[in-house]
Amino acid sequence: MKHSPPAPAGGSAWAPLRENTFRALWLAQFVSNTGGWMQTVGAQWLLVGHGAALVSLVQVAAGLPVLLLALPAGVLADLLDRRKLLLVMQTAMAAVASVLAVLALLGVLGPWVLLLLTFLLGCLTALNGPAWQALQPSLVPREQLRQASALGAVNMNVARAVGPALGGALVAGAGVGWTFALNAVSFLGILLVLLNRRTFGNAPRRGQEREQALAALRAGGRYVRSAPRVRRILLRNALFVPAAACLWALLPVTAVQRLDLGSAGYGVLLATVGVGAILGAGALPRLSARLGAGGMLAFAGTLIAGTLVVLAVTTNAVLAGLVLTLAGAAWVWGLSTLSAALQLELPNWVRARAGAFYLLVFQGGNALGALVWGQLAQHAGLTTALGASAALLGLGVLSLRRLPLLDGRVDPSLSDTWPEPQLIVEPAPKDGPVLVTVSYRVADDDVPAFVRAMGDVEASRRRTGASAWGLYRDAAEPDLFVETFTVTSWGEHPAQHHERYTGLDHEFENTARAFVRSEPLVTHAVMRRG
């Protein structure tokens, strides 16, 4: 099987910032992320006296909604105008943050109300996430996606440094309520950028039939099930994120119990993560070219595991800051490797839906990992929890030998080479299911190679919409093969031709047809009802 060549490096680590819209959104996102981390510090500090388990629930409440809402959010982001969807979500998040601020400033914000409102913010973030993630490929050239992914991680981690430092100072000097208030204001930048941009690349074509929500959800699931490289990216995500989540979930407890730091010291400690993130992003292009995707994941996992081990045994804040610098770089390397691999793989029609599966694994892994590590620290001790997560990360690194990211780069751009079906009667979009048959004549010597090639065709048909597929050999005419596949509706079948059929799908079909002696015969049959 052939693949398109690897994408070029795309210039320096900072090249995507030359794109005006990417730069404006990146800066606005940095302000918003900074506000979010200020709020997280305020929330965790408000709960730190209640024990490690309750502190870890802040991260659980923020991330758990993804398990419920990521997939529906991915459907919405692919079917609706992403700009309008983001405007609604960002406005709603600003409103919830404002409620948190008012309650905190009035002194009536209890622990469980705080967690409930944090959960609501998490729900809105989950609905916002797939649309936000799907923006990136429309803002930068394809060859800069890896750098753009790294800059996204840098954005989060520098905000992780600046936000807690500011948040710690605010908590110490003015009180927790002001961290919530500034977070509410921080959404304004993104709202202003979105108001000045009409669309983000998912406007439907003229005359294009809009997918139904449930059908779109099923189509996204079929795509992921039939895309081996996407499934492997999700697996590597699941083997990296939940274990690494221990670092972020238990760092405030580590700062208090082992390093004897106050809120300002905790903010400074997190600032070292931001420094590491910046250094890591700068080194990413050269390091990635030398180590490859698998090597980057192994290096990142090893560094974070080592950081956890050091934090489990040291009481020296300076040493902790040094290893957290390495962890900041490693976090950028790991996340940018996985995120870029996914974005390079996905065609636009399913980008948000498949991205929702990624967010489901990432945010769900963060939330569930934080819950597990918090409970373990509460009942078995902080050192045990940090050591266990380091061991789990080490096992993930070792598993890369047997479960690496799959090689090969593909071009997910659309191909218009599938011919239009010749019909006398045009079915209605909701008519179906539709049975498509393709008859091939194959010489006996070419049968084994043809059957192997049709395995790739099967995956292609299922990715683009087939709910069932089969390949049959005629018992009376052994050179006759009949491919059958079923699509749930006539409206979805033309989408296979125009919105979902990529250059890779065309390549698979050409490879199989190279063994065919004459032009295949194609039929379309629509189920008759009543």
Side-chain angles (χ1 to χ4, degrees):
M1 181 174 62
K2 297 179 180 179
H3 301 280
S4 58
S12 76
W14 318 107
L17 292 174
R18 299 190 188 105
E19 304 291 332
N20 291 336
T21 304
F22 179 88
R23 182 175 64 252
L25 272 177
W26 191 90
L27 291 171
Q29 184 190 21
F30 174 73
V31 173
S32 181
N33 284 339
T34 300
W37 280 110
M38 290 172 66
Q39 174 172 301
T40 297
V41 168
Q44 289 180 323
W45 207 255
L46 195 66
L47 299 176
V48 76
H50 296 271
L54 202 59
V55 171
S56 69
L57 285 180
V58 173
Q59 193 166 326
V60 174
L64 199 57
V66 176
L67 297 176
L68 302 174
L69 299 175
L71 299 184
V75 172
L76 290 176
D78 276 334
L79 300 189
L80 303 180
D81 185 317
R82 288 173 189 157
R83 171 182 167 273
K84 293 180 180 178
L85 179 62
L86 287 168
L87 280 169
V88 171
M89 292 301 108
Q90 293 288 323
T91 301
M93 284 189 279
V96 174
S98 298
V99 172
L100 268 170
V102 170
L103 294 177
L105 290 171
L106 292 175
V108 294
L109 184 60
W112 294 107
V113 174
L114 169 62
L115 291 172
L116 178 63
L117 290 174
T118 302
F119 179 80
L120 181 56
L121 264 178
C123 290
L124 295 170
T125 302
L127 292 171
N128 181 83
W132 186 269
Q133 187 182 45
L135 293 187
Q136 192 165 274
S138 69
L139 301 180
V140 299
R142 176 177 167 80
E143 62 270 15
Q144 292 179 7
L145 280 176
R146 194 177 303 278
Q147 290 95 315
S149 297
L151 286 171
V154 167
N155 194 311
M156 176 61 73
N157 282 284
V158 174
R160 189 196 296 270
V162 175
L166 293 176
L170 273 176
V171 169
V176 168
W178 287 102
T179 65
F180 301 147
L182 288 181
N183 182 45
V185 174
S186 72
F187 290 100
L188 293 178
I190 292 177
L191 288 170
L192 289 174
V193 175
L194 292 173
L195 286 169
N196 287 300
R197 174 80 183 246
R198 290 186 177 182
T199 184
F200 285 101
N202 70 322
R205 298 182 183 184
R206 181 176 298 177
Q208 178 182 336
E209 184 74 21
R210 180 72 77 180
E211 290 182 82
Q212 297 298 311
L214 187 57
L217 181 60
R218 289 195 297 262
R222 282 196 301 268
Y223 181 90
V224 172
R225 287 196 302 272
S226 302
R229 284 187 291 276
V230 172
R231 295 201 310 271
R232 186 57 59 83
I233 292 167
L234 297 180
L235 175 62
R236 295 312 322 175
N237 193 340
L239 292 173
F240 177 74
V241 170
C246 179
L247 181 62
W248 317 122
L250 297 183
L251 193 55
V253 182
T254 304
V256 173
Q257 293 185 5
R258 294 198 60 83
L259 304 177
D260 197 26
L261 296 175
S263 58
Y266 171 53
V268 172
L269 196 65
L270 277 179
T272 62
V273 177
V275 172
I278 295 172
L279 296 175
L284 177 70
R286 183 177 300 177
L287 198 60
S288 181
R290 178 173 297 181
L291 297 180
M296 290 295 288
L297 284 178
F299 195 27
T302 301
L303 285 178
I304 295 178
T307 298
L308 289 164
V309 170
V310 172
L311 293 178
V313 299
T314 190
T315 57
N316 187 312
V318 174
L319 178 58
L322 290 174
V323 295
L324 283 169
T325 304
L326 296 176
W331 187 249
V332 166
W333 294 335
L335 293 192
S336 61
T337 297
L338 291 169
S339 179
L342 184 74
Q343 296 297 347
L344 288 167
E345 187 72 30
L346 297 176
N348 188 58
W349 72 270
V350 76
R351 188 176 302 281
R353 275 167 279 182
F357 281 91
Y358 180 89
L359 289 175
L360 181 67
V361 176
F362 176 77
Q363 295 284 12
N366 252 322
L368 294 177
L371 178 62
V372 169
W373 303 125
Q375 292 297 322
L376 187 61
Q378 182 80 14
H379 296 98
L382 181 61
T383 299
T384 299
L386 294 171
S389 62
L392 191 59
L393 271 171
L395 290 176
V397 170
L398 293 176
S399 73
L400 277 163
R401 282 187 171 272
R402 289 190 173 273
L403 299 169
L405 289 175
L406 298 181
D407 292 331
R409 287 280 184 261
V410 299
D411 183 359
S413 58
L414 291 179
S415 172
D416 291 325
T417 53
W418 196 350
E420 287 282 351
Q422 301 300 312
L423 305 173
I424 297 176
V425 177
E426 180 78 18
K430 293 183 179 180
D431 287 349
V434 180
L435 175 65
V436 183
T437 68
V438 189
S439 301
Y440 308 93
R441 295 282 180 177
V442 183
D444 189 62
D445 290 344
D446 291 329
V447 166
F450 171 76
V451 172
R452 286 194 300 271
M454 289 301 289
D456 288 330
V457 173
E458 175 189 2
S460 169
R461 304 290 197 222
R462 292 185 184 277
R463 278 197 304 273
T464 56
S467 57
W469 185 92
L471 182 65
Y472 303 87
R473 190 174 191 177
D474 194 302
E477 300 180 66
D479 68 332
L480 177 62
F481 285 80
V482 180
E483 176 196 9
T484 69
F485 61 95
T486 304
V487 184
T488 55
S489 69
W490 180 254
E492 190 163 2
H493 181 55
Q496 287 186 298
H497 292 255
H498 301 301
E499 283 84 49
R500 302 178 184 177
Y501 191 67
T502 67
L504 180 65
D505 298 313
H506 184 58
E507 183 179 326
F508 287 154
E509 194 162 359
N510 277 348
T511 300
R513 292 195 177 194
F515 303 105
V516 177
R517 294 190 300 181
S518 59
E519 186 66 21
L521 176 64
V522 183
T523 69
H524 298 80
V526 182
M527 179 175 284
R528 180 175 179 179
R529 299 183 183 277

